[in-house]
Amino acid sequence: MPRLSSLLFGGIACALLVAEGVMAQTRSYAAWAAESAMRRGQGKGLDASGNSLVNYEHGELQWALRLLYERTGNQTYYDYILSGASNVVADDGTVGGRYSLSDYSLDPLRTGPTFLYLYQQTKDQKWKTAADTFKKQLETHPRTAQGQFWHKKIYPYQGWLDGVYMGDVFYAQYVKDFQSTNVSAWGDIVNQIANMALMSIQVPGVQNYNGLLYHGYDYSKKAVWAAPDRGHSPEVWNRALGWYTMALVDVLDILPDGSGRLQVLNIIQTLAPRIRDAADKATGVWWLVMTQPGREGNYFESSGSAMFVYSLLKAVRKGYVADYDGSIVRAATKAYNYMTANWVIPNPDGTMGWTNTVMVGSLSGTGDYQVFAQPSTPTKRANLAAITSK
C-alpha cells in the first residue's frame, strides 16, 4: 500500500508531517496544505499588515516545508523558506521582526532551526549570525534552580511543555552543528526535557489519572494554579503535550549516543502507549482537555491530535518506540483518517482549510478547565490562519 505522504496541518499556522500510513488519494494532503498556505502568504515572516515578524508558527511551517522539500525536491518549498526567513534577518544577520533578546521568550527560537538549515544550505554567514543571536539568549535565559528555562520572562519560574519544543530543538541542532563535543550542553538539553517530565507528569492516584503531563509547572509555586506538591498546573492540555512529544522525536534525531539519549527514549517510550490509550474510542482522536473527556465544553481538538499522529508515527518509524502488536500505528492511522474526513475543509478557491483548532491555551490566568473549554464546538476556519496560543 502507498506510503502516506508528509501531512501538513494548520490551524495554528503549524505544519505537521506524518511520515507513515495509508492514503487513497493521488494528491497528498501535504502538498495541498503547503500550496494553500503559500498562496495565502502564511508563515513568511510577516504579520497581517506586511510587517516583519519573528513568530514560532512561521518557524514551524518552515520546518514542515523543509521536510516536504527533502521528500519531493520541489524547489518552490525551499524558495518559500528562504524568502520568509529573509523577511526577518537582515543582510548583516541582525534578527528583526520585533524580536528582543531581553524579552527572554522561548517562542521566537522556533525560527532558529530555519536559520541553521539555511546556513547549512548556503554557507551565508548572515544565517549563522542570526542563529548565534538566539544561542546568546539561551546563555543568559533565566532558569529555575533545577536549570529549567523559564517559558518567558513574564512567567517567572514557570516551565511549560511548549517551551521544550520552542527552545530545545534549536538548542540541540545548534550544539550538533557547532559544538558537537560540548558534553555539558548536551547534558543541559537532556535535563530540560527530563526535568519537564519529572515536574509535570501525573502520578497514580490523582483524579482523572492518565499518566500524561500537565501543561506546565511553577517552581516557585506562586501561580494561582500551582499544585502544592510540585507546582504543576491542573489539567493535561492536548496541544501542550503535543508540542512536547514532537520535541522528543525531533531531538532524538539530533542527540548523539552517550549524551543522555536513553533518558529521552525512556520518556517517549513511556508516553506513547499512554497517548494511544487516551484517544477517544469511537473517533480515535483526542479531547482538548485530556483529563476531562466528555465534559461539557470539551471537544475533539485538531492541532494537538495532529501533533500526536506526527509524534507516534515518527517514533515507530524511527525505532524510538517498539510497536510489537501494531496498536500504536493503528491508533495513529485511525486518528489520521478521522482528521482528513472531518477537519479538512475544501475552500471554494481550491485551497485547503482546517477546523476545530483551539483558539487560546495559556497558563497566564487560572490554568483551569474553563480556560480551555468552550461553550460550543469551535467555529470552522476556512484557512490556516495564525491563532494566538500563549
Side-chain angles (χ1 to χ4, degrees), residues 37-321:
M38 292 189 294
R39 279 181 58 183
R40 289 188 286 262
Q42 293 174 301
K44 204 172 184 181
L46 302 172
D47 64 16
S49 300
N51 300 311
S52 177
L53 178 67
V54 173
N55 185 286
Y56 72 88
E57 295 161 358
H58 299 191
E60 190 179 6
L61 176 63
Q62 291 159 3
W63 174 279
L65 290 176
R66 173 178 68 81
L67 297 180
L68 195 54
Y69 168 62
E70 290 172 349
R71 172 166 296 197
T72 68
N74 185 335
Q75 186 70 25
T76 303
Y77 302 135
Y78 176 84
D79 292 344
Y80 197 87
I81 296 167
L82 180 61
S83 175
S86 297
N87 283 329
V88 298
V89 177
D91 289 343
D92 65 357
T94 300
V95 181
R98 303 199 289 275
Y99 167 75
S100 173
L101 185 153
S102 62
D103 287 343
Y104 287 114
S105 171
L106 293 175
D107 286 346
L109 305 192
R110 183 56 222 176
T111 58
T114 297
F115 304 159
L116 294 171
Y117 172 68
L118 290 174
Y119 180 70
Q120 293 169 355
Q121 296 299 305
T122 68
K123 300 306 177 185
D124 187 333
Q125 183 61 34
K126 80 174 197 175
W127 302 117
K128 172 66 162 55
T129 301
D132 288 344
T133 298
F134 284 178
K135 180 58 165 55
K136 288 175 183 176
Q137 176 184 321
L138 291 179
E139 291 168 1
T140 56
H141 198 98
R143 299 169 179 252
T144 69
Q146 298 164 305
Q148 189 89 53
F149 292 133
W150 297 3
H151 188 64
K152 295 182 182 181
K153 186 171 70 174
I154 61 173
Y155 304 133
Y157 302 101
Q158 293 181 23
W160 295 13
L161 297 179
D162 322 25
V164 175
Y165 183 73
M166 302 303 168
D168 289 303
V169 178
F170 163 72
Y171 190 3
Q173 189 64 55
Y174 186 98
V175 172
K176 179 180 179 181
D177 290 351
F178 305 114
Q179 302 174 350
S180 61
T181 60
N182 189 336
V183 175
S184 63
W186 288 124
D188 189 26
I189 293 164
V190 171
N191 181 61
Q192 296 291 325
I193 294 169
N195 188 68
M196 193 71 234
L198 175 69
M199 298 299 288
S200 63
I201 196 164
Q202 287 188 305
V203 295
V206 300
Q207 188 175 11
N208 302 317
Y209 174 77
N210 54 28
L212 297 173
L213 307 183
Y214 298 109
H215 187 173
Y217 73 97
D218 177 5
Y219 183 77
S220 71
K221 301 181 184 177
K222 292 181 179 179
V224 65
W225 44 257
D229 61 341
R230 289 164 291 154
H232 62 75
S233 58
E235 303 289 357
V236 175
W237 179 41
N238 76 330
R239 191 159 84 204
L241 184 59
W243 292 127
Y244 183 80
T245 55
M246 289 199 302
L248 294 178
V249 295
D250 290 346
V251 168
L252 280 168
D253 289 345
I254 303 168
L255 285 174
D257 292 337
S259 62
R261 178 183 176 84
L262 291 178
Q263 288 182 263
V264 181
L265 282 168
N266 181 64
I267 295 170
I268 189 61
Q269 289 165 4
T270 299
L271 292 178
R274 296 179 182 180
I275 292 170
R276 174 201 62 199
D277 294 345
D280 176 68
K281 302 305 180 187
T283 64
V285 294
W286 290 268
W287 293 92
L288 173 74
V289 183
M290 299 176 73
T291 30
Q292 304 271 0
R295 181 174 171 179
E296 182 180 1
N298 209 352
Y299 58 92
F300 301 133
E301 198 278 331
S302 62
S303 65
S305 292
M307 293 174 181
F308 291 150
V309 172
Y310 170 87
S311 302
L312 293 176
L313 291 177
K314 181 173 181 180
V316 173
R317 176 171 57 86
K318 299 298 289 284
Y320 303 147
V321 170

Side-chain angles (χ1 to χ4, degrees), residues 325-365:
D325 63 357
S327 61
I328 293 176
V329 169
R330 285 196 301 273
T333 303
K334 181 177 181 178
Y336 167 79
N337 289 334
Y338 180 92
M339 291 189 295
T340 54
N342 292 275
W343 294 334
V344 169
I345 308 296
N347 292 325
D349 64 359
T351 59
M352 181 184 127
W354 181 252
T355 190
N356 270 59
T357 293
V358 64
M359 186 72 71
V360 176
S362 176
L363 291 176
S364 59

